[in-house]
Amino acid sequence: MTRPHDTVRTAPALSPPSTGYGRRVLSATSFTALLTGLNTSGLDVALPDVVRHFEASAAQTSWIMVGYLLASTVLLLVWGRLADLFGRRRLYLAGIAAFTAASIGCALAPNAWILILGRVLQGVGASAVITNTTALLADAFPPERLTKALGINAILISATQAAGPLLGGLLTNAWGWSGVFWTSGGAGLAALVWSAAILRPDHGRGASERFDVAGALLSVVFLGGGSLALTESGRGDGSVAGGWTSATVLLCAALSVSALLVFPVVQSRRRYPLMDPWLFRDRRRTIALLAAFLTAVSYFSVVLVMSLYLQTVERLDALSAGLQVMLMSVGAMLTAPLAGRLATRYPARVLSSAGTATSALGIAFLVIALGPPAPTALIGLGLFLTGAGAGIFGVPNTGELMTLVPPHRRGIANGVRSVLQSAGYLISTVLSLALVAVHGPSESASPDDIGAPLRVVSAGAQSLADSHRTALLVLLCLCLAATGVSLLRGGTHRPDSASSLSTEGTK
């Protein structure tokens, strides 16, 4: 018996992309990118005020940050598939509404546990927004202009990462910790009204295909269990080893691995699987997804490692350290639009590989620079190049993936990409923290210190520098691996040659 994704189907008719409509969609997706980005980075600065207000424990402090990431990661695949079935506009607007309501709930939270619940609900809404953003742009722009649109979107995301801590500090000083959430709620309402006004209705595939409930549950168990195991691994008695052998970590890891083993078996027997194996039948698609994962693991925690190094070894204050690590976001912000323009002339194999190689060079400079004392200019150059490489990589890699996928499968394709990228962020963070030997706040930490949820163990400056250098060396190796994987993609495919893909994947 043939399976539906192996037989010829006609994708739902879409209105031809137009530049005017594409720009309006870009304004909406950029608005929500700023919304979710500022909510995350702005809270980093407001966290000490949150902890003082609620007298939060170390576990509560951690979950205020982790709850959002876990919820937004485990549901990306589910929302991507539902968007393909029932329409991206519906899921996108529902995500903004949920995020906005949760933000207001966070601002009104009477205790830390209600705030944590609000953060989880924020993650649920954000995941519906994130998984639809790229797919909405791919639907709205013709292939030859898609990478430019993605570049603009990437600029705003990078700008948000750079400006978020500053805005969070200003809001906290003016209105306290709740100011961050009130601002997110107000901006969310504006984004909801604007997006509802400009996004065209789309109907997805509706009842012609069934939603894979078993696959969705297995994916949530796999991603959720794995994320919880990684998150809890650095806790316990304060040592990394103790965390890895705790009952919670072992149980979560066992559930995650079991779900991973069962997932492909279930998917192979489903008429309409959550993660269609078709997505991985093209080498370019598979490599684009794998390269995105490895790149996320290799560069995401560079800011964390360097921020810890600058404050613990070089003895800089938080503001001075933040101004230095901001150079990484500046690098990405400057190169993303350039990558968008170049992607119409050069294949992703060239540009994306050049991007990861540039990031590898930047991380190598950081490895060399670590002292103490460390030359400020070399650290700045290393951070800038690391971010610049990430900006060069992302646009052509995502653009190629979207143009290699027909419109009615872009939701799940971007959902898979987003899941791999988010999982990469989490692995990068946990791996780096384990390598620099960190644990929760010490008992002697002052109230002002508790907001920094991670504290480096007591050691000499040279020993600390060596541990940070080891973390960067591991990230460098992963970045070089990402470069090698990116170079393996074949062909000279460019976005302007993708017009023939309107029915590809329906066979």
Side-chain angles (χ1 to χ4, degrees), residues 85-231:
L85 292 178
F86 302 108
R88 281 184 263 284
R89 182 180 185 273
R90 294 180 187 177
L91 267 294
Y92 189 76
L93 295 179
I96 298 175
F99 180 87
T100 301
S103 297
I104 295 173
C106 287
L108 296 172
N111 57 60
W113 289 116
I114 297 298
L115 177 60
I116 291 170
L117 176 61
R119 288 286 288 163
V120 170
L121 294 177
Q122 274 190 319
V124 172
S127 65
V129 173
I130 293 168
T131 198
N132 281 289
T133 296
T134 303
L136 283 169
L137 291 173
D139 289 345
F141 281 90
E144 66 274 8
R145 298 184 63 86
L146 175 60
T147 52
K148 292 183 179 179
L150 293 173
I152 295 173
N153 209 57
I155 295 173
L156 290 172
I157 292 174
S158 298
T160 298
Q161 293 171 344
L166 175 61
L167 181 59
L170 292 173
L171 291 172
T172 302
N173 287 341
W175 298 303
W177 63 269
S178 62
V180 175
F181 294 111
W182 283 120
T183 301
S184 294
L189 287 174
L192 181 61
V193 171
W194 177 240
S195 299
I198 66 166
L199 292 179
R200 294 173 181 170
D202 60 312
H203 304 291
R205 303 190 69 82
S208 63
E209 297 181 3
R210 293 183 179 179
F211 179 69
D212 180 12
V213 177
L217 291 175
L218 286 170
S219 71
V220 169
V221 172
F222 162 57
L223 293 170
S227 298
L228 284 169
L230 288 171
T231 303

